Amino acid sequence: MPSAVGKIYQDKGQRWLIRLKNGDRIFCDKQHRSFYSQQHAEWTLAQIAGEVENGTFDSSFYSKKQKSLLSFSVYAEQWLKNCERRAARDELSPTYMKDLRRFVNKIFIPYFGETSMLEIKGRELKSFYLGLDYHPKTLYNVMAALHKIFRDALYEEVIPSMPNFPKQGSIPEPEWKWATEDVQDVIMGQLEPDDFYAVMFLCCHGIRTGELRALKHKDLDLKNYTVTIRRSFSGTQLRETTKSKRQRIIPLDETWKEIYLSRPRVIDQDAFIFHKGGKPLSATWLTKQWRKACDKAGVEPITLYQGTRHSLASQAANRGVSLYLIGKQLGHSTTKMTQRYSHVETNALREVSRQTRKNVVSILSVVDKTPL
């Protein structure tokens, strides 16, 4: 009963207030609207009584001067600031932080607002999820970020238990295109020398574009034919670590090495290998040049990632190279990431069965012609 929690009194003028049993005085509802009618105050008192019974009542939600620490917006803003601190320590990438800022400020806070973290349950999360209209991959990332907020709130003992998150549909596998060596050569034939120099490195070594932009001359070991991948660019920020947080050493392609040695002699070993006017390549430069080269070559559109890194792995799988070695070359942190190339590896095995069928057909043709 609301009367067991508190009573309603008329304040100055036409305003009203609620005086709770513990002595707290409430002058507004959870939307911070003053009580200008007794009915308004009675409705709020009934709401407070329900929250007291459920153990979710926090008088800060009914204050005009401060926001409750249990408010979703308050906690989400503080959570985002903590993520910013982690990013400053290079624990989170700038591109990931860009997504988190957008999710928190443009999606989460506008939807949940000042709702108490204690009151957000499975039903509210399901309604939120069903109201989103994004690409499946983006939808997955949005829900993963929201899940992380609540998981951290549970770890920090802000909430007593984890709400039930809705089950999501599977993310459709993207249409993985890849190019043969011949197609790559046709496309690269349309590039300017400096761009050819960089794209060929991607085709030969299969590293990420951010890792390519961060390569320095000192990373090459010309004597032992190796290159060390130890840093990467995330957007415009140079990070002294790779995406997987581990450096790796891969073989240096001999053909690319010959091109490297044919270029002007390198003096500053700490300088970037690939640059424009002494500055490292931008995040989009090679992508634009690759797209133009595809158009000039009359090749079916394929992204720079698919035409270089993904193609190197697909070509290797077709030659029968193990997925383990492909994963080591690409710097995958888990074998699951390399499994996408298993279908290509199967295509290579079909060459065997295809030949077997031909032999069977030739034998049957001979048998059919043999008189009984």
Side-chain angles (χ1 to χ4, degrees):
M1 294 289 292
S3 58
V5 176
K7 293 184 178 180
I8 298 171
Y9 297 89
Q10 188 169 6
D11 198 15
K12 300 176 182 179
Q14 296 298 316
R15 290 180 294 182
W16 300 75
L17 67 87
I18 297 173
R19 184 174 294 165
L20 302 179
K21 291 291 186 180
N22 62 4
D24 288 346
R25 297 195 301 173
I26 307 297
F27 295 90
C28 61
D29 60 18
K30 294 183 79 170
Q31 284 71 46
H32 311 294
R33 297 173 299 190
S34 299
F35 301 135
Y36 285 102
S37 71
Q38 183 177 357
Q39 185 179 13
H40 185 189
E42 290 174 347
W43 181 88
T44 303
L45 179 58
Q47 184 179 24
I48 291 174
E51 292 175 356
V52 170
E53 183 177 351
N54 294 329
T56 62
F57 175 69
D58 183 349
S59 62
S60 299
F61 280 102
Y62 298 88
S63 172
K64 288 188 174 183
K65 296 182 180 180
Q66 64 179 357
K67 290 184 178 180
S68 171
L69 297 178
L70 287 174
S71 166
F72 179 88
S73 66
V74 173
Y75 182 80
E77 288 171 355
Q78 185 59 53
W79 179 84
L80 188 60
K81 289 180 181 178
N82 291 335
C83 290
E84 298 282 7
R85 296 187 184 100
R86 293 185 60 195
R89 297 177 180 177
D90 207 25
E91 296 178 9
L92 300 176
S93 73
T95 51
Y96 179 59
M97 281 305 307
K98 183 179 179 181
D99 284 340
L100 289 186
R101 294 187 198 100
R102 179 166 62 91
F103 295 162
V104 171
N105 296 321
K106 302 294 184 181
I107 302 176
F108 298 156
I109 290 180
Y111 185 89
F112 294 106
E114 304 304 319
T115 305
S116 171
M117 295 283 288
L118 300 174
E119 295 177 350
I120 300 177
K121 302 297 183 181
R123 183 174 183 178
E124 288 74 27
L125 293 172
K126 185 176 181 179
S127 296
F128 169 76
Y129 169 70
L130 294 177
L132 298 175
D133 184 19
Y134 296 106
H135 182 276
K137 178 62 175 177
T138 304
L139 183 61
Y140 174 85
N141 291 337
V142 168
M143 295 304 295
L146 185 62
H147 188 273
K148 184 66 168 66
I149 290 177
F150 278 90
R151 193 171 65 219
D152 286 351
L154 178 64
Y155 177 79
E156 296 167 2
E157 299 180 344
V158 174
I159 56 177
S161 61
M162 192 73 178
N164 294 323
F165 271 69
K167 294 183 179 180
Q168 300 184 55
S170 59
I171 302 176
E173 188 70 20
E175 182 183 357
W176 286 110
K177 297 181 180 179
W178 64 280
T180 62
E181 292 92 333
D182 291 338
V183 172
Q184 288 177 327
D185 290 342
V186 171
I187 297 173
M188 288 192 293
Q190 303 298 322
L191 294 169
E192 295 295 326
D194 284 350
D195 299 328
F196 171 87
Y197 177 56
V199 171
M200 184 177 179
F201 192 96
L202 291 175
C203 290
C204 293
H205 303 91
I207 67 174
R208 301 176 179 91
T209 307
E211 295 169 341
L212 174 96
R213 296 166 55 211
L215 274 179
K216 296 183 178 182
H217 294 284
K218 65 182 181 182
D219 298 324
L220 302 180
D221 185 342
L222 301 179
K223 182 179 179 180
N224 295 308
Y225 284 82
T226 61
V227 54
T228 302
I229 313 299
R230 53 167 56 93
R231 72 187 74 80
S232 64
F233 269 99
S234 180
T236 59
Q237 182 176 333
L238 178 64
R239 306 182 69 204
E240 293 299 326
T241 181
T242 64
K243 183 178 180 180
S244 61
K245 302 292 190 299
R246 294 177 298 189
Q247 72 175 32
R248 65 188 188 278
I249 300 176
I250 60 177
L252 181 63
D253 183 80
E254 294 186 21
T255 304
W256 187 88
K257 177 185 173 182
E258 293 178 7
I259 299 176
Y260 175 80
L261 293 176
S262 68
R263 295 172 68 87
R265 183 179 177 184
V266 177
I267 298 178
D268 184 4
Q269 288 292 303
D270 201 47
F272 293 107
I273 298 176
F274 308 101
H275 58 86
K276 285 290 180 183
K279 296 182 179 181
L281 297 176
S282 70
T284 59
W285 175 261
L286 286 181
T287 299
K288 292 178 181 178
Q289 307 314 308
W290 173 268
R291 190 183 304 120
K292 292 177 182 177
C294 287
D295 293 339
K296 291 180 181 178
V299 174
E300 182 181 354
I302 183 172
T303 67
L304 177 64
Y305 175 88
Q306 292 173 340
T308 56
R309 179 175 167 85
H310 182 68
S311 292
L312 177 74
S314 299
Q315 293 162 8
N318 264 330
R319 293 194 303 270
V321 179
S322 71
L323 296 182
Y324 171 78
L325 290 178
I326 293 174
K328 295 290 285 184
Q329 174 77 18
L330 299 184
H332 287 165
S333 56
T334 64
T335 56
K336 183 178 180 181
M337 301 175 68
T338 319
Q339 287 298 321
R340 67 183 62 168
Y341 301 106
S342 59
H343 69 283
V344 185
E345 189 179 40
T346 304
N347 288 338
L349 296 176
R350 286 198 180 96
E351 295 298 324
V352 178
S353 60
R354 204 174 282 136
Q355 184 64 45
T356 303
R357 287 201 301 272
K358 289 180 180 178
N359 292 338
V360 171
V361 171
S362 63
I363 293 171
L364 288 175
S365 63
V366 174
V367 173
D368 289 340
K369 292 180 182 179
T370 304
L372 295 175

